[in-house]
């Protein structure tokens, strides 16, 4: 039956069930189940029910029970007197104490403490019965006295404890020759931890998170991240993360290497595996210097991974350094032998990432952060105000939906951080009695961004003030028959604007604080509170048989999923179309801190103007469009301009073109000089070949000067050829407009297909 008992105890440990849960699952009393797990002769139905409730192999349990039954046939019944003289180890002693407790009527721990009149404590009794720690001799003697064992029988129990203690001491002496194992895990494993995928900014954030938690509750922590450069080799650089407001005890510093503790929650640990991985991800030489105000010296911890790997000792020194002044305190973590360089651009990105991760704490002034002396600015949400709303089916729906829901109220063990239902007398995991009431609360808001974006939208999820997920979009997806359907964005353009900030401090996270445990019941409760059980779209929900979705996210989805311009959907417009690009540009001004765009007035006014556009005055533009003027009319206009420009007192004797050659009479004697004038109507650059053709015509007619006028423009090659010639003038459309205005008083414009190089918009109008 001892083999059966070991099988049952192992099954219960694997299942994690308490005896109260086993009673409910099997229908047998706690006493019968406890006796079966402690080696008493038990009927097969008890063993079978115990095994099935734990989910282990019934066939194996049956074989063990039949073997015990065969061995016990013809033997005497199990005596009521415990054979304490056979106890040789603390495991044997624990089983014997359990037998004795059963014989005494299975009193509860509270009853045993009450009977002992204070000589026993529930936590130490729980540790003794569940094997968490060897019981002290005084505890064993007090326990057997409480259950009625006195005289020589009590002396037998004292002797049993002595034998168990001697066995434990002997076992320790046998393993002492192997030498102490100071570092857990080994240096080789530490090197592997440094290779885990973790971005540089996330590693810095993990260290900042550990440092900031060492201060007093309610007191903002001032954390500085500094990057010091030493030469051109980045391995000589170092990163220092310091905080004068936080400090840690020596025990907390030693937790650096305790990465194998049980439990999903790690709030009771300041330093955990995530901190160690983050430090090693940044560099291989770590120095931590910390002290509390009342301590006389600084505690200095140094980890040099390279020395550990190459050396024969795994011991990591923890030393002390005297304070220069009394009352000094703070924490400084210096990381050297960096794995990568940290130039100014990297520090700028780090500052931006930290402003995003600690956005809430920075806005609420619960933390102050600097990177290389520059303050980290929080990333603020650019959302519509709470006073903005739209109407759907006669109901006003605000652009901001507040959320504050208590999902459950539980006990949390202050020893192992496991949760248990209200009314529990002890922790089901460690049997500890230090239980504190806690709430699994989800709070925050969902809102509507003032602009659409292809990526910059989604819900931010926080835990203990730190952003774990940024602009996450998984709640916009509904899973139906193992197939995921993206429900938002639903309307074109394929961009989104639904955002939010959700705080869920009770949901477990991975050790690097970069993701939640999405398979946990806590996360499923958060999803249900935000988006409900069914689809967001009413028609799909009705088709699948779900009740109408009234969750906060479903309300915003129904009211703001469309992107039509105007106040009906809170989309800026110009009276004709939506101004999505303009709204996004205003958002850039918002994030840069421009005071004119901090409120939503600019976006609201644009949406209002779309619904009530101002009448557009009719303006008659009677200016000549040179680029679309008839070629003959353009030639006549240019001819008229140059006749007026050079007049009868100056200029050539003959002006050839446009059109027929024109004789220009002057008062001074004729010089025989000829000029060639050409026009080209175009909306593009004049080809270089046209300039060559003008030069050829000048040779043919023996002209002294050539003038080429166009409504377009000239390239660099054409201007260079004219400059080398010294006898060719190139007049582009911009200059032609100016000459017509100055000499003929004619206002003209140029409707070109594109803006020429080096021209301004005003050169066309």
């Amino acid at each position: 039956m001892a083999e059966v008992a070991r099988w049952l105890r192992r099954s219960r440990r694997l299942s994690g069930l308490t005896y109260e849960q086993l009673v409910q699952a099997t229908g047998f009393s706690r006493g019968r189940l406890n006796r079966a797990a402690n080696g008493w002769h038990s009927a097969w139905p008890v063993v079978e029910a115990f095994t099935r409730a734990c989910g282990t192999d019934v066939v194996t349990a049956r074989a063990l029970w039949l073997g015990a039954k065969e061995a016990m046939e013809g033997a005497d019944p199990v005596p009521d007197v415990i054979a304490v003289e056979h106890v040789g180890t603390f495991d044997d002693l624990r089983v014997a104490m359990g037998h004795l407790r059963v014989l005494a009527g299975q009193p509860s721990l509270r009853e045993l403490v009450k009977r002992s009149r204070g000589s026993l404590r529930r936590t130490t009794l729980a540790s003794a019965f569940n094997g968490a720690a060897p019981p002290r001799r005084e505890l064993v003697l007090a326990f057997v006295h409480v259950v009625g064992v006195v005289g020589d029988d009590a002396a037998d129990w004292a002797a049993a404890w002595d034998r168990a203690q001697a066995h434990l001491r002997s076992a320790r002496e046998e393993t002492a020759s192997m030498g102490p194992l100071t570092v857990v895990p080994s240096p080789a494993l530490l090197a592997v931890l440094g290779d885990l995928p973790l971005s540089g900014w996330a590693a810095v954030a993990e260290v900042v998170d550990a440092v900031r938690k060492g201060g007093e509750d309610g007191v903002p922590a001032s954390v500085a991240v500094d990057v010091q450069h030493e030469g051109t080799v980045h391995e000589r650089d170092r990163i220092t993360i310091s905080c004068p407001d936080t400090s840690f005890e020596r025990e907390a510093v030693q937790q650096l290497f305790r990465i194998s503790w049980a439990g999903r929650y790690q709030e009771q640990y300041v330093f955990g595996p995530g901190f160690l991985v983050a430090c090693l991800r940044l560099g291989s030489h770590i120095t931590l210097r910390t002290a509390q105000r009342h301590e006389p010296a600084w505690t200095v911890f140094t980890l040099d991974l390279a020395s550990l790997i190459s050396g024969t000792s795994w011991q990591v020194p923890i030393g002390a350094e005297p304070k220069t002044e009394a009352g000094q305190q703070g924490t400084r973590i210096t990381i050297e032998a960096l794995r990568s360089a940290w130039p100014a651009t990297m520090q700028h990105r780090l500052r931006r990432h930290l402003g995003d991760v600690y956005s809430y704490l920075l806005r609420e002034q619960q933390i102050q952060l600097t990177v290389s002396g520059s303050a980290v600015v929080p990333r603020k949400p650019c959302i519509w105000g709470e006073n903005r709303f739209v109407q759907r089916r006669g109901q006003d729906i605000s652009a901001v939906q507040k959320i504050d829901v208590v999902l459950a109220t539980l006990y949390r063990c202050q020893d192992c951080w496991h949760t248990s239902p209200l009314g529990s007398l002890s922790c089901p995991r460690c049997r500890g009695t230090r239980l504190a009431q806690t709430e699994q609360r989800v709070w925050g808001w969902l809102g509507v961004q003032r602009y659409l974006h292809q990526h910059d939208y989604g819900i931010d999820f926080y835990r203990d003030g730190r952003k774990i997920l940024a602009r996450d979009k998984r709640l916009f997806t509904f899973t139906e028959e193992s197939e995921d359907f993206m429900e938002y964005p639903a309307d074109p353009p394929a961009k989104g604007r639904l955002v939010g900030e959700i705080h869920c401090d009770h949901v477990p996270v991975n050790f690097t604080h970069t993701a939640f445990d999405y398979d946990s019941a806590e996360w499923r409760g958060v999803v249900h509170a935000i988006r409900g059980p069914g689809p967001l779209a009413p028609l799909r929900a009705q088709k699948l048989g779900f009740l109408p979705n009234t969750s906060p996210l479903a309300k915003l989805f129904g009211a703001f999923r469309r992107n039509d311009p105007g106040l009906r959907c809170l989309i800026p417009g110009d009276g004709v179309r939506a101004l999505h690009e303009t709204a996004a540009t205003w958002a850039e001004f918002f994030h840069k801190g421009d005071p004119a765009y901090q409120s939503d007035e600019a976006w609201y006014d644009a949406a209002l103007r779309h619904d009530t556009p101002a009448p557009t005055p009719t303006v008659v533009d009677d200016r000549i469009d040179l680029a679309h003027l008839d070629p003959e009319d353009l030639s006549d206009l240019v001819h008229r301009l140059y006749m007026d420009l050079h007049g009868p007192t100056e200029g050539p004797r003959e002006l050839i073109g446009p059109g027929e050659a024109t004789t220009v009479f002057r008062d001074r004697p004729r010089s025989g000089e000829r000029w060639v004038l050409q026009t080209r109507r175009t909306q593009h650059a004049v080809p270089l070949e046209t300039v060559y053709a003008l030069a050829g015509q000048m040779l043919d007619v023996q002209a002294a000067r050539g003038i080429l006028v166009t409504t377009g423009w000239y390239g660099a090659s054409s201007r260079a050829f004219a400059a080398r010639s010294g006898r060719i003038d190139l007049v582009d459309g911009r200059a032609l407009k100016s000459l017509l205005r100055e000499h003929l008083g004619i206002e003209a414009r140029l409707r070109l297909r594109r803006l020429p190089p080096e021209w301004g918009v005003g050169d066309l109008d």
Side-chain angles (χ1 to χ4, degrees), residues 449-465:
Q449 210 162 230
R450 303 175 200 167
Y451 60 99
L452 292 170
H453 200 276
Q454 188 173 1
H455 308 291
D456 187 15
Y457 70 97
I459 304 175
D460 298 335
F461 289 91
Y462 290 81
R463 190 172 189 270
D464 296 330

Side-chain angles (χ1 to χ4, degrees), residues 189-399:
L189 181 54
L190 290 178
V192 174
L193 291 179
D195 293 329
L196 291 178
L198 187 66
S199 61
W201 69 264
V204 173
E206 185 67 18
V207 181
V208 169
D209 216 35
V211 170
R212 74 176 179 90
K213 290 181 179 179
E216 300 178 5
D217 293 339
V219 178
S222 300
V223 182
V225 180
D226 296 297
V227 181
Q228 294 90 20
H229 297 285
E230 298 289 343
T232 59
V233 182
H234 72 263
E235 289 84 354
R236 298 179 181 176
D237 298 345
R238 62 180 180 271
I239 297 176
T240 301
I241 301 174
S242 59
C243 180
D245 310 311
T246 60
S247 55
F248 305 99
E249 297 179 351
R250 185 185 182 93
E251 176 65 23
V253 175
Q254 292 174 340
Q255 290 174 6
L256 273 168
F257 291 100
R258 298 175 185 175
I259 68 170
S260 59
W261 55 75
R264 294 160 57 197
Y265 294 93
Q266 300 167 4
E267 290 88 339
Q268 72 272 40
Y269 300 101
V270 175
F271 299 111
F275 172 82
L276 183 57
V277 169
C279 289
L280 294 174
R281 190 69 185 88
L282 294 173
S284 60
H285 191 283
I286 305 164
T287 302
L288 186 148
R289 186 171 177 267
T290 185
Q292 296 184 344
R293 193 180 302 277
H294 64 275
E295 293 177 329
W298 298 92
T299 297
V300 182
F301 165 89
T302 303
L303 167 63
D304 187 353
L305 186 57
S307 299
L308 285 176
I309 294 176
S310 61
T312 58
S313 173
W314 290 2
Q315 293 185 353
V316 177
I318 299 181
E321 178 184 319
K323 291 182 178 179
T324 58
E325 297 180 10
Q328 289 180 326
Q329 72 166 13
T331 299
R332 177 186 295 270
I333 299 174
T334 303
I335 304 173
E336 300 173 281
L338 302 183
R339 298 170 65 95
S340 60
W342 284 80
T345 54
M346 286 278 290
Q347 298 177 45
H348 175 73
R349 287 197 292 269
L350 172 63
R351 198 176 294 113
R352 187 180 71 249
H353 281 300
L354 292 181
D356 190 10
V357 170
Y358 293 106
S359 173
Y360 174 77
L361 294 178
L362 289 168
R363 297 199 314 262
E364 296 297 319
Q365 298 182 351
Q366 297 182 22
I367 187 176
Q368 296 177 357
L369 267 176
T370 60
V371 174
S372 296
S374 298
V376 175
V377 179
R379 187 184 191 278
K380 299 187 296 183
C382 182
I383 60 174
W384 292 95
E386 297 181 34
N387 60 326
R388 308 301 187 189
F389 60 89
V390 298
Q391 281 196 343
R392 296 291 184 270
R393 298 180 179 179
Q395 180 183 4
D396 293 341
I397 300 179
S398 173

